[in-house]
Amino acid sequence: MKKTKKDVETKQSLSGQLSRRLFISKTALVAGAISIVPRHVLGRGFTAPSDRVNLGYIGLGKQSITLSNAFIANTDEAQIVAGSDVWTTKNEWFKAHVSKLYADKRKQQNYKGLTTTGNYLELFERDDIDAVVIATPDHWHAIQAIGAMESGKHVYCEKPMTLMVQEGIDVVKTVKKTGKVFQTGSMQRSWTSFQKATEMVRNGHLGDIKKVLVNVGDPAIPFNMVSEPVPSEVNWNQWCGPAPLLPYNERLSPSTSAAFFPDWRLFSETGGGILTDWGAHMFDIAQWGLGMDRTGPVKFIPPTDKKAVRGMQMFYENGVEMVHEDFGRGWGVRFMGSKGNLDISRSYLETDPPSILESQVTPEDDLKSRGNHYQNWIDAIKKDTSLIADVEIGHRSASVGNICNIAYQLGRTLEWNPEKEKFVGDSEANKMKSRKNRKH
């Protein structure tokens, strides 16, 4: 007997959800063998050149609007056919917004519109959806990304890629197992200013890099907001999902009319603080410039003042130091070399001395422009081309922030083995790589 929507949404554990998704994936394969084979079953690179990649969006808050604008503006080879959110009002909001974008653009011939649902698992069951865009709070990323790939979908996942280190390890393993195309939403890598900065660092125009300063926000804190009545428009139990069942507060998950971005990112139950929220951008650029995309620091030294929210020192195996430090120019990165310094953010690219910026550089292969971030993912799905921010890049950049949170919390030096992805001689820290998810 077919399960009802209510049955699916209530009291599903993480293991139960993943088992169900595996069943869906295997069922699709069997069904395809005797009827029409869904495109996603045939794997990466199969989609015909004339075909559009059908997208389903999971999480329909403010970032979904930004991402729908981006995909519709930057590629004609994809179309949004579905969306899912636990807010009924956000489902309606997203549907109206996307429908208007397509009506204004008038480029999608034979576009049949989109449907929305309060249960994202329904997107995994649809053979007409090739890929999903995940823009939910951080505590949902790993569960939804793994489930999507196990069900045959490619994934574009907002940064930070995961909330916990072990989640990132598991997502990387799932990409390798399923062969699905996973792009991390670290779109700064597609901006010419960040590409230019990284080229200059890699080409030695700053000399030998000894130190990198990364200014982003504070580490995560435990949830501390007052309880407010839960709006009737939201399934709050499902919003919390694998996280603890928190009291509702508008700042945590605002309605569509709110002018502010939600504060779930501040709290350890649902996010990693602004340390990971912006760190997934700026630590990412530091890792890229240093050529450390597939590894990470080997030592994390927190400040002696356990109440401090800046001052984490990180050392790579080659001796280069990276520091979580406010150098007085907003969220950004400062590369410090033997020949000079380079500052890079979304609002500036400057060198000291200024003459360094005039240097001619030859991009390395991974620094050459591959177009906009969104078309790049679609190209990788359709043509098997390389990704700008693949799953390993997303995982390693997120891990820097996640490990910083652990070190700030414990208040002691941690040694990290990037190859084994374990803390050396610290069982307490290793336990903090993951957490037990709530049954909901």
Side-chain angles (χ1 to χ4, degrees):
M1 184 173 67
K2 186 177 179 180
K3 291 185 178 181
T4 66
K5 183 177 177 181
K6 183 177 180 180
D7 291 334
V8 174
E9 289 182 330
T10 55
K11 297 186 177 180
Q12 290 179 309
S13 64
L14 172 58
S15 60
Q17 290 182 29
L18 294 181
S19 296
R20 182 172 181 272
R21 293 168 194 164
L22 281 167
F23 170 77
I24 292 168
S25 181
K26 291 175 181 177
T27 301
L29 286 167
V30 173
I34 59 175
S35 57
I36 299 173
V37 182
R39 283 173 291 173
H40 69 255
V41 171
L42 296 178
R44 181 172 175 172
F46 170 76
T47 309
S50 60
D51 252 355
R52 292 191 179 98
V53 178
N54 287 338
L55 305 178
Y57 275 55
I58 306 175
L60 306 182
K62 290 185 181 299
Q63 190 62 14
S64 75
I65 300 300
T66 300
L67 289 171
S68 62
N69 293 343
F71 273 99
I72 292 173
N74 287 290
T75 177
D76 294 325
E77 297 179 76
Q79 61 182 1
I80 302 168
V81 300
S84 178
D85 200 277
V86 296
W87 282 81
T88 57
T89 47
K90 290 181 181 180
N91 281 316
E92 296 164 1
W93 182 46
F94 182 79
K95 186 173 184 178
H97 176 78
V98 171
S99 297
K100 185 177 187 305
L101 287 178
Y102 279 130
D104 291 344
K105 195 172 177 70
R106 298 184 183 280
K107 280 192 175 182
Q108 296 287 40
Q109 295 179 359
N110 302 319
Y111 181 63
K112 298 179 181 179
L114 71 154
T115 60
T116 57
T117 175
N119 179 11
Y120 73 88
L121 291 173
E122 293 179 11
L123 274 58
F124 297 166
E125 297 174 345
R126 287 177 52 173
D127 286 340
D128 65 324
I129 294 177
D130 303 298
V132 296
V133 176
I134 298 175
T136 48
D138 298 351
H139 68 287
W140 267 112
H141 286 183
I143 294 172
Q144 291 167 339
I146 290 172
M149 289 185 286
E150 294 284 12
S151 300
K153 317 299 183 191
H154 304 292
V155 174
Y156 182 104
C157 185
E158 263 304 323
K159 42 53 58 190
M161 194 181 91
T162 54
L163 180 60
M164 312 297 291
V165 175
Q166 186 60 49
E167 290 178 337
I169 295 171
D170 293 341
V171 172
V172 170
K173 288 179 179 177
T174 305
V175 171
K176 292 177 180 177
K177 180 176 67 174
T178 63
K180 294 300 150 188
V181 181
F182 187 107
Q183 177 92 297
T184 312
S186 301
M187 77 290 183
Q188 287 182 170
R189 288 192 177 224
S190 298
W191 293 16
T192 56
S193 58
F194 287 98
Q195 290 170 349
K196 172 75 171 179
T198 307
E199 288 167 7
M200 298 189 72
V201 174
R202 292 269 197 95
N203 280 267
H205 292 276
L206 299 179
D208 295 330
I209 302 298
K210 300 297 184 183
K211 192 172 185 178
V212 183
L213 306 182
V214 179
N215 184 32
V216 290
D218 296 354
I221 59 174
F223 180 74
N224 61 6
M225 290 184 165
V226 299
S227 177
E228 296 175 349
V230 178
S232 60
E233 299 87 356
V234 62
N235 181 336
W236 188 241
N237 178 63
Q238 189 69 2
W239 187 96
C240 292
L245 184 59
L246 302 173
Y248 175 79
N249 185 286
E250 184 189 20
R251 296 291 311 189
L252 194 62
S253 178
S255 65
T256 57
S257 61
F260 56 87
F261 274 85
D263 284 340
W264 53 259
R265 64 199 74 229
L266 303 180
F267 304 112
S268 55
E269 293 85 354
T270 52
I274 304 303
L275 172 63
T276 65
D277 187 62
W278 270 89
H281 283 309
M282 296 307 176
F283 286 131
D284 181 66
I285 296 302
Q287 290 253 116
W288 198 21
L290 295 173
M292 295 294 177
D293 278 344
R294 313 290 167 179
T295 182
V298 298
K299 183 175 288 188
F300 292 74
I301 305 175
T304 54
D305 180 1
K306 292 189 176 182
K307 294 182 179 179
V309 294
R310 299 287 192 283
M312 182 70 65
Q313 296 173 278
M314 294 155 269
F315 291 89
Y316 291 90
E317 193 169 16
N318 62 5
V320 173
E321 179 185 8
M322 180 164 66
V323 188
H324 176 212
E325 180 179 318
D326 185 354
F327 54 91
R329 305 198 65 184
W331 306 150
V333 182
R334 172 172 290 171
F335 292 95
M336 305 172 71
S338 58
K339 295 181 181 179
N341 299 339
L342 181 149
D343 288 2
I344 177 68
S345 79
R346 294 187 180 182
S347 58
Y348 54 78
L349 169 54
E350 298 175 6
T351 59
D352 181 19
S355 58
I356 294 177
L357 195 58
E358 300 171 6
S359 304
Q360 296 297 314
V361 295
T362 302
E364 297 181 20
D365 286 344
D366 66 327
L367 296 175
K368 292 178 180 178
S369 177
R370 280 166 280 179
N372 71 73
H373 213 66
Y374 317 99
Q375 182 66 50
N376 172 253
W377 179 51
I378 301 302
D379 286 344
I381 292 171
K382 296 183 69 174
K383 305 172 186 177
D384 201 17
T385 52
S386 62
L387 287 160
I388 294 171
D390 64 36
V391 68
E392 182 76 19
I393 289 170
H395 166 52
R396 294 295 183 167
S397 294
S399 290
V400 173
N402 293 336
I403 295 171
C404 277
N405 265 320
I406 294 173
Y408 272 118
Q409 185 175 342
L410 292 176
R412 61 172 178 265
T413 298
L414 299 176
E415 293 187 18
W416 176 250
N417 184 324
E419 183 177 350
K420 295 182 178 179
E421 299 197 78
K422 292 182 178 179
F423 294 103
V424 179
D426 197 319
S427 58
E428 184 179 12
N430 278 317
K431 288 179 181 177
M432 295 171 72
K433 287 167 46 184
S434 62
R435 71 179 184 188
K436 186 177 180 179
N437 287 309
R438 181 180 71 96
K439 294 182 179 180
H440 59 283

